Amino acid sequence: MAIMIFATDPVKGLFCLLVPGYPLLWAKRQHYYGRFLLVYFSGAALMVLGGVILSWNSFHQ
């Protein structure tokens, strides 16, 4: 998402990296909200899955 923001405006891209909620606000304004949430929740789900896999392996050795 930050790359897309950097492509449109470098100052807003830098702001996106410094302020956590700014990409969500930008996505709403640019009509990328659905794609943003899909990528965000997919990443969160993969992180949870990775944590479960690592925990499963450490308990079952």
Side-chain angles (χ1 to χ4, degrees):
M1 182 62 73
I3 294 171
M4 292 173 62
I5 297 173
F6 270 112
T8 58
D9 187 6
V11 175
K12 288 183 181 180
L14 184 61
F15 198 63
C16 167
L17 294 174
L18 298 176
V19 178
Y22 189 75
L24 181 61
L25 179 65
W26 182 85
K28 278 186 173 182
R29 289 182 183 167
Q30 299 294 327
H31 306 291
Y32 291 118
Y33 190 67
R35 283 189 246 165
F36 177 80
L37 287 182
L38 178 68
V39 170
Y40 182 80
F41 285 121
S42 296
L46 288 173
M47 289 177 61
V48 169
L49 181 63
V52 168
I53 289 171
L54 288 173
S55 297
W56 184 270
N57 286 336
S58 66
F59 287 122
H60 289 72
Q61 286 185 354

